[in-house]
């Protein structure tokens, strides 16, 4: 597997674009309307937010993907199209506009939105800029699309890999947005993944479910699960590999590539958490069950007290033990060992559920880096899990204090 350039347009047969459509209703210099289009119809699988309040685009997309097929994606930033009386009308209207320009059925269009909840919205910006959006579709347009779906993100999330299935070179590319209102399940994010692999709907759905559970569902920035989260994977089969129809070695090769892409997106979202200065990676080792491993890792990564300590470069391991203790998992706290590490080295701060002497100076050096790893050994089984998060800073409050205005 090799990292390559190109994002969602790295796979064969995909084009993308992003334009300024003034979705918020006032002049801006930020791109806020994106499209991703495949040359041919794609096998498609998706996952959605667990929030009971769901944006209208999710309702429309679920309906369109009942047959497991799509050929295009349209996404706007600046307005979530959630809790709006005309939300379904807007979402369906956006699909209709793109489909008309592309001469395809509206049911083959995935629609997504991100931004402020409950703000009035019209189709006017879509109508005015749909031709510009489609006429500008290009094979190197992933960058424009990636920038158009961002909200409070400080940098784009765009990745692609090439890999071999048999003698055939295949590709997976992706873009995502996500910075705040991030919490399992699915976090507050949009992720669009493209591939030229030929794979059956059943195998793709199984693969996406497994990969999402171990990547996007293990990310937390602030404990808030969004209303518009969506991951969509589109596979157009143009690589012309032997079609994947069973869980064989070719299935595993593609799954590893998809996992790599989704893990990269997940870490990118966590590191770009609103106001964040550090990426936190929490590994749970030797848990009794996989559930226990995941639960402990997520409990630590979502602890506001621990996240604040990481911002303050304070090796306050007691907060880690506290988060482990209230996690709904079967653990023996007297066996727990905790270490902290970064590019500056590693220190053990807890053994057998109790503190051990360590250098505060070395701890400060370790926690001064922008990527911190927390390793928790439960010494009670064979399972492990990883969760990603970020520190909690003053800027998080500033950003979200006036997000709507």
């Amino acid at each position: 597997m090799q990292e390559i350039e190109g994002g969602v347009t790295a796979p064969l047969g995909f084009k993308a674009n992003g334009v300024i459509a003034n979705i918020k209703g006032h002049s801006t210099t930020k791109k806020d309307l994106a499209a991703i289009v495949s040359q041919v119809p794609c096998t498609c699988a998706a996952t959605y937010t667990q929030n009971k309040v769901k944006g209208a685009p999710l309702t429309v997309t679920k309906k369109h993907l009942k047959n497991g097929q799509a050929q295009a994606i349209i996404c706007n930033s600046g307005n979530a199209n959630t809790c709006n009386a005309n939300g379904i009308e807007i979402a369906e209207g956006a699909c209709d506009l793109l489909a008309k320009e592309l001469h395809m059925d509206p049911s083959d269009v995935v629609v997504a939105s991100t931004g402020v909840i409950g703000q009035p919205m019209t189709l006017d910006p879509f109508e005015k800029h749909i031709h510009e959006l489609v006429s500008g579709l290009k094979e190197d347009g992933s960058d424009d699309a990636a920038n158009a779906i961002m909200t409070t993100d400080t940098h784009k999330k765009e990745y692609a890999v090439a890999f071999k299935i048999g003698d055939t070179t295949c590709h997976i590319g992706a873009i995502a947005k996500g910075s705040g209102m991030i919490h399992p399940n699915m976090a507050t994010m949009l992720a669009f993944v493209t591939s030229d692999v030929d794979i059956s709907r059943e195998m793709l759905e199984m693969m996406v479910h497994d990969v999402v559970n171990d990547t996007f569902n293990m990310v937390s920035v602030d404990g808030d699960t969004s209303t518009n989260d969506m991951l969509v994977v589109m596979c157009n089969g143009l690589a012309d590999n032997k079609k994947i129809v069973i869980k064989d070695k070719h299935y595993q090769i593609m799954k590893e590539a998809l996992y790599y892409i989704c893990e990269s997106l997940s870490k990118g979202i966590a590191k770009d958490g609103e106001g964040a200065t550090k990426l936190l990676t929490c590994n749970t080792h030797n848990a009794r069950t996989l559930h226990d491993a995941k639960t402990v890792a997520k409990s630590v990564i979502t602890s506001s007290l621990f996240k604040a300590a990481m911002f303050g470069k304070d090796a306050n391991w007691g907060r880690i033990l506290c988060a482990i203790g209230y996690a709904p998992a079967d653990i023996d706290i007297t066996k727990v060992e905790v270490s902290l590490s970064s590019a500056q080295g590693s220190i053990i701060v807890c053994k057998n559920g109790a503190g051990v002497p360590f250098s505060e100076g070395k701890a400060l050096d370790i926690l001064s880096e922008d990527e911190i790893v927390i390793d928790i050994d439960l010494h009670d089984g064979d399972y492990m899990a990883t969760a990603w998060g970020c520190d909690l800073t003053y800027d998080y409050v500033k950003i979200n204090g006036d997000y709507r205005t």
Side-chain angles (χ1 to χ4, degrees), residues 5-189:
E5 299 294 321
V8 288
T9 54
L12 299 173
F14 285 94
K15 294 182 179 181
N17 192 23
V19 299
I20 300 170
N22 299 312
I23 296 293
K24 287 185 176 180
H26 57 76
S27 181
T28 180
T29 58
K30 181 196 175 300
K31 291 181 172 65
D32 54 5
L33 184 61
I36 304 166
V37 180
S38 171
Q39 179 182 323
V40 297
C42 302
T43 300
C44 196
T47 55
Y48 309 93
T49 182
Q50 300 292 311
N51 198 315
K52 295 181 182 67
V53 178
K54 293 178 173 61
L58 275 71
T59 300
V60 173
T61 292
K62 281 185 177 182
K63 181 175 70 173
H64 286 185
L65 292 184
K66 280 185 177 179
N67 64 353
Q69 176 179 297
Q71 193 171 348
I73 297 171
I74 185 167
C75 177
N76 73 274
S77 60
N79 190 315
N81 191 16
T82 299
C83 300
N84 287 339
N86 64 341
I88 298 296
E89 176 187 335
I90 296 295
E92 289 182 338
C95 293
D96 291 343
L97 288 168
L98 185 63
K100 185 177 180 180
E101 284 285 327
L102 293 169
H103 308 291
M104 66 176 61
D105 193 293
S107 65
D108 284 333
V109 179
V110 167
V111 59
S113 300
T114 182
V116 182
I117 295 170
Q119 295 298 296
M121 193 175 188
T122 73
L123 270 177
D124 291 349
F126 296 87
E127 292 171 341
K128 291 177 181 177
H129 296 277
I130 195 69
H131 180 72
E132 175 191 1
L133 180 67
V134 172
S135 63
L137 288 167
K138 49 191 179 292
E139 293 178 353
D140 61 351
S142 181
D143 181 79
D144 290 331
N147 281 285
I149 67 174
M150 290 165 52
T151 51
T152 56
D153 307 61
T154 62
H155 62 267
K156 65 179 181 177
K157 290 87 176 172
E158 183 181 35
Y159 303 92
V161 292
F163 55 99
K164 289 273 193 178
I165 292 181
D167 294 327
T168 305
T169 299
C170 302
H171 310 84
I172 296 179
I175 60 173
K177 68 80 52 183
S179 187
M181 204 187 281
I182 303 276
H183 186 66
N185 287 311
M186 277 303 298
T188 184
M189 64 94 202

Side-chain angles (χ1 to χ4, degrees), residues 170-212:
C170 302
H171 310 84
I172 296 179
I175 60 173
K177 68 80 52 183
S179 187
M181 204 187 281
I182 303 276
H183 186 66
N185 287 311
M186 277 303 298
T188 184
M189 64 94 202
L190 298 176
F192 305 125
V193 182
T194 59
S195 178
D196 47 24
V197 171
D198 193 3
I199 183 172
S200 71
R201 176 184 178 183
E202 293 74 19
M203 290 297 101
L204 182 61
E205 289 179 344
M206 189 181 303
M207 184 183 297
V208 168
H209 175 78
D210 288 347
V211 169
V212 166

